[in-house]
Amino acid sequence: MRIIFAGTPDFAAAHLQAILDSEHEVVAVYSQPDRPSGRGKKLTPSAVKSLGLANNLPIEQPVKFSDEGAAETLAGYEADIMVVVAYGLLLPEHILSIPKLGCINVHGSILPKWRGAAPIQRAIWAGDNETGVAIMQMDKGLDTGDVLHIARLPIDAEDTSASLYNKLAELGPKALVKTLSDFANYTPQTQDDAQATYAKKLSKAEAKCNWQLSALQLARNVRAFNPWPVVWFEKDTQAIKIWRADVVETTNSPKKANGEVIEYAKNGLIVQCEEGCLVIHEIQLPNKKRQSIADVVNGKPDLFACGEILS
């Protein structure tokens, strides 16, 4: 196949590399415009653009596909198919029909579950046992197109969004190349809209620790919001981030107040939640590096006090 590839971050670059290593021909690479990065705010190309340049491929970076000449430029590559992975730019309906076989997308969930912007994070947040990648024929809806192929992956109890992202970055390229090679043999499966869920974007406000939630949900949040936006709570008007935490059973009778510190010791900071207790193993104080609770206790033995109520 003659393929146009559209993507932006390193997750997408892994898929582009898999196509470059296959029997197919990449005729053009589309990526987001260069963005300011680093202390100097120097314009920096995306991971996909950098990989495309390294392989001497034509690079296109339209701001939007409604720009004059954008459709004609794409059509000029005479592609059989367009592969879209974490591109970040909306493809209008008239663009989807330009390649002979249309456009396909690699989505990080088992569709129709977790359509939308944050499927990897929401799968952990919700306590799902598995996730995967769906190779989908794109249509005008948001992740609503017919599914060609699904590759599944179990979610381990220790998985964070970062670790699951890396696992899917290995699984997705293999599933994509398989789909491209066997494209004519797939029967597109219509998604059941009644089973659809939406993976809304994460926010710093959502990551603020709410001790009215169960310890189980807060532990999921810690994993789901790692590496961004990271669960946090306030102490003395300063934000403290939680990088690693688990659920612990306690025999407190009667139940303590939500947010109350039960124990502050080298084995963890234990805080009462609406249901159960959260044992925090790793935090980050303002303007400091991540530290284990054991190290924090060594340096700041009086930072937390039993009976203290955390905001």
Side-chain angles (χ1 to χ4, degrees), residues 11 17 19 28 40 86 97 122 127 165 201 210 236 242 247 305 311:
F11 182 82
Q17 185 63 62
I19 299 174
S97 60
R122 291 300 171 190
Y165 180 97
K201 291 182 179 180
N210 179 3
D236 302 327
I242 304 175
V247 178
S311 69

Side-chain angles (χ1 to χ4, degrees), residues 238-253:
Q238 292 188 315
I240 297 176
K241 296 179 179 180
I242 304 175
W243 285 97
R244 190 164 57 87
D246 292 312
V247 178
V248 63
E249 296 297 329
T250 65
T251 57
N252 293 327
S253 183

Side-chain angles (χ1 to χ4, degrees), residues 47-287:
V48 165
K49 178 182 177 180
S50 296
L51 181 57
L53 290 172
N55 286 271
N56 299 312
L57 296 172
I59 306 294
E60 302 289 349
Q61 295 178 278
V63 175
K64 53 185 183 296
F65 276 97
S66 58
D67 290 347
E68 184 178 356
E72 289 76 9
T73 297
L74 193 147
Y77 288 111
E78 299 182 342
D80 295 309
I81 198 166
M82 184 171 180
V83 174
V84 181
V85 185
Y87 182 25
L89 194 64
L90 180 67
L91 300 187
E93 192 173 3
H94 71 278
I95 294 293
L96 300 178
S97 60
I98 291 177
K100 297 174 185 177
L101 299 173
C103 301
I104 64 172
N105 173 248
V106 180
H107 185 74
S109 79
I110 303 172
L111 289 171
K113 195 167 190 180
W114 302 128
R115 296 172 177 171
I120 298 173
Q121 296 92 330
R122 291 300 171 190
I124 296 175
W125 169 82
D128 292 353
N129 293 320
E130 67 172 354
T131 185
V133 291
I135 314 296
M136 172 193 67
Q137 191 85 45
M138 296 177 69
D139 63 13
K140 63 180 180 180
L142 178 64
D143 302 325
T144 57
D146 292 350
V147 175
L148 299 168
H149 176 64
I150 288 178
R152 298 173 183 267
L153 178 76
I155 299 177
D156 295 335
E158 297 80 22
D159 269 327
T160 64
S161 290
S163 66
L164 202 55
Y165 180 97
N166 290 335
K167 291 178 181 179
L168 292 177
E170 292 184 8
L171 181 68
K174 296 174 184 176
L176 173 60
V177 171
K178 174 179 172 58
T179 303
L180 290 170
S181 298
D182 298 337
F183 194 83
N185 298 322
Y186 282 100
T187 302
Q189 301 295 314
T190 302
Q191 294 187 44
D192 182 357
D193 290 342
Q195 300 298 316
T197 54
Y198 177 64
K200 70 175 183 178
K201 291 182 179 180
L202 307 182
S203 69
K204 289 185 178 181
E206 183 183 10
K208 186 173 183 178
C209 202
N210 179 3
W211 304 109
Q212 314 305 318
L213 298 175
S214 69
L216 178 60
Q217 184 59 62
L218 281 176
R220 289 175 183 164
N221 289 3
V222 169
R223 292 164 49 222
F225 301 162
N226 175 348
W228 193 90
V230 187
V231 169
W232 59 281
F233 64 92
E234 283 185 338
K235 178 176 172 59
D236 302 327
T237 71
Q238 292 188 315
I240 297 176
K241 296 179 179 180
I242 304 175
W243 285 97
R244 190 164 57 87
D246 292 312
V247 178
V248 63
E249 296 297 329
T250 65
T251 57
N252 293 327
S253 183
K255 173 181 173 289
K256 303 293 185 180
N258 292 342
E260 183 172 345
V261 175
I262 305 300
E263 181 179 325
Y264 174 49
K266 291 187 177 182
N267 63 315
L269 171 65
I270 302 177
V271 184
Q272 179 71 56
C273 304
E274 178 62 28
E275 294 180 16
C277 291
L278 190 72
V279 55
I280 302 169
H281 298 294
E282 189 176 358
I283 63 174
Q284 185 175 9
L285 301 174
N287 302 315

